[in-house]
Amino acid sequence: MVYFSFYFTTEEDGFPVLITAEEPIFITEEPILVKEFLNMLMELVNLRTVSTDIFGLKIIKNGEYVKIRLPDGRNIQVSAGEFTKNVQHTIENIRRILQKRPVKVKHLKFRLLRPEEFWSEGDESYLNEYDIEIYGDVYVLNATINLRDYLDDLRGLKEFIEEGKLPKEKWRVVWDIAQLKQGLEKALPTLVKSADCVSPPFVRFNLGTYDPLEIVYVSNLGDRAALFFVAWAKIAIKVPKEVLLMALNDAIRDAEKELERLKLSGW
C-alpha cells in the first residue's frame, strides 16, 4: 500500500505525507501550499521521464513498476498501474477536503506511538504522553493522548459501531446539530451538511486526548460509518464498517498490550 496525502495545518497549506503499509512519512519539514503539492501530483500522473524527485523522494519508473526511494535509503516498489491509480485517488481526496466533502476511505489504521525517550516510564505523567496517528487512504489526525482514556474510548466506539450502544453521558449524543453551541464545534454542521445521507445520532468521542479541541463525532450508517473530525483536521470520512471495526480491534489490542507491558514494568 502506497498513498500520498496532505495534512492540512491551515486551509491553504500543510505537510505532504507518504503513507506506506508500515508507517506514514512526512515528506517535508516545513508546510507547503496545497496547490504546489497538487501540481506535483498531476506531474506524477503524467510521468513520462524515467525518474523524478519530489522533496527528497526519488520516483523511478522501470517498465511495469515504480520504485520510490526514501531519503533514508529504503525502497518501496509498486506496480505502475497501482501507483498512478493511487496518485489519482490522492488528488480526488484532497479536492474533496478542499470542497468540504467527505472522503471515502478503503483502509484505516490507528497507530499508537510511545512517549519520547526523555519521558520516564516511572513518571505519573507517562500515560499522558502517548501519541496516535489515524490514517489510511488519507492522513487524518495526529494527537497526544492518555493511554487508558484512549482505550476506553476505543471500546466505546466499537460498541456504538457494532451494537448501536450509546454512551451514558447524554451530552455526548447529538440528535439535532442545530442545537450545538457555536464555538469549538461549529465545524460539525458544515461537515454533516456536506456528507450525503448522514443522520443522527452523532456520538462524541475524543480518543483520550486532553486537548479540548480534538473532537470526533461518529454516525452509524448501516454498512458504513461517518467520522467527523471537527477541530484541527476539519475532515469527514466515510468508511465501511468492517474496515473500521478491524482498525478498532487492532488499536484495542495494541493499547491493551502496551498497558500490560507497563504493568509488567512495575505500574
Side-chain angles (χ1 to χ4, degrees), residues 14-214:
F15 293 91
V17 185
L18 178 69
I19 298 173
T20 72
E22 290 76 27
E23 61 181 341
I25 302 167
F26 279 64
I27 302 173
T28 65
E29 295 182 356
E30 299 293 335
I32 66 169
L33 291 173
V34 65
K35 289 183 179 179
E36 179 183 355
F37 187 55
L38 281 172
N39 288 337
M40 290 184 175
L41 292 177
M42 292 299 297
E43 291 179 6
L44 287 181
V45 171
N46 301 308
L47 185 62
R48 295 290 182 268
T49 58
V50 175
S51 66
T52 188
D53 187 278
I54 297 181
F55 300 117
L57 293 180
K58 193 75 170 180
I59 313 294
I60 305 169
K61 191 172 184 180
N62 183 13
E64 297 181 357
Y65 294 92
V66 171
K67 180 186 293 184
I68 304 173
R69 182 170 297 162
L70 305 180
D72 62 8
R74 287 181 294 164
N75 291 317
I76 301 172
Q77 182 171 285
V78 295
S79 70
E82 179 185 352
F83 178 80
T84 300
K85 181 179 178 180
N86 288 352
V87 172
Q88 291 171 331
H89 184 60
T90 297
I91 294 171
E92 174 63 18
N93 281 345
I94 293 175
R95 286 174 175 168
R96 293 181 74 90
I97 294 170
L98 289 171
Q99 296 165 1
K100 299 293 189 290
R101 296 163 61 199
V103 176
K104 297 178 181 179
V105 301
K106 303 174 184 176
H107 310 282
L108 195 65
K109 182 177 178 62
F110 295 72
R111 185 181 184 220
L112 181 65
L113 302 171
R114 289 177 183 169
E116 298 288 344
E117 292 182 358
F118 56 79
W119 291 101
S120 170
E121 290 188 5
D123 293 343
E124 292 184 4
S125 60
Y126 189 79
L127 287 179
N128 293 330
E129 300 302 330
Y130 281 80
D131 286 339
I132 57 167
E133 292 182 302
I134 302 175
Y135 60 91
D137 311 18
V138 61
Y139 193 92
V140 179
L141 179 71
N142 62 35
T144 302
I145 54 101
N146 174 281
L147 184 57
R148 286 199 179 97
D149 293 343
Y150 171 64
L151 179 56
D152 288 343
D153 241 22
L154 289 175
R155 289 168 173 165
L157 177 52
K158 180 183 176 182
E159 288 181 341
F160 174 57
I161 296 300
E162 204 166 38
E163 307 168 15
K165 183 178 179 180
L166 298 176
K168 296 179 181 179
E169 302 89 347
K170 293 184 178 180
W171 61 269
R172 291 178 55 194
V173 183
V174 176
W175 294 94
D176 183 2
I177 59 174
Q179 295 178 358
L180 282 173
K181 295 180 180 179
Q182 293 297 306
L184 294 180
E185 300 163 80
K186 65 183 180 181
L188 180 61
T190 301
L191 291 172
V192 169
K193 185 178 180 181
S194 69
D196 297 331
C197 303
V198 178
S199 58
F202 303 96
V203 180
R204 174 174 173 154
F205 297 90
N206 67 6
L207 300 179
T209 66
Y210 49 86
D211 184 341
L213 296 180
E214 298 290 3

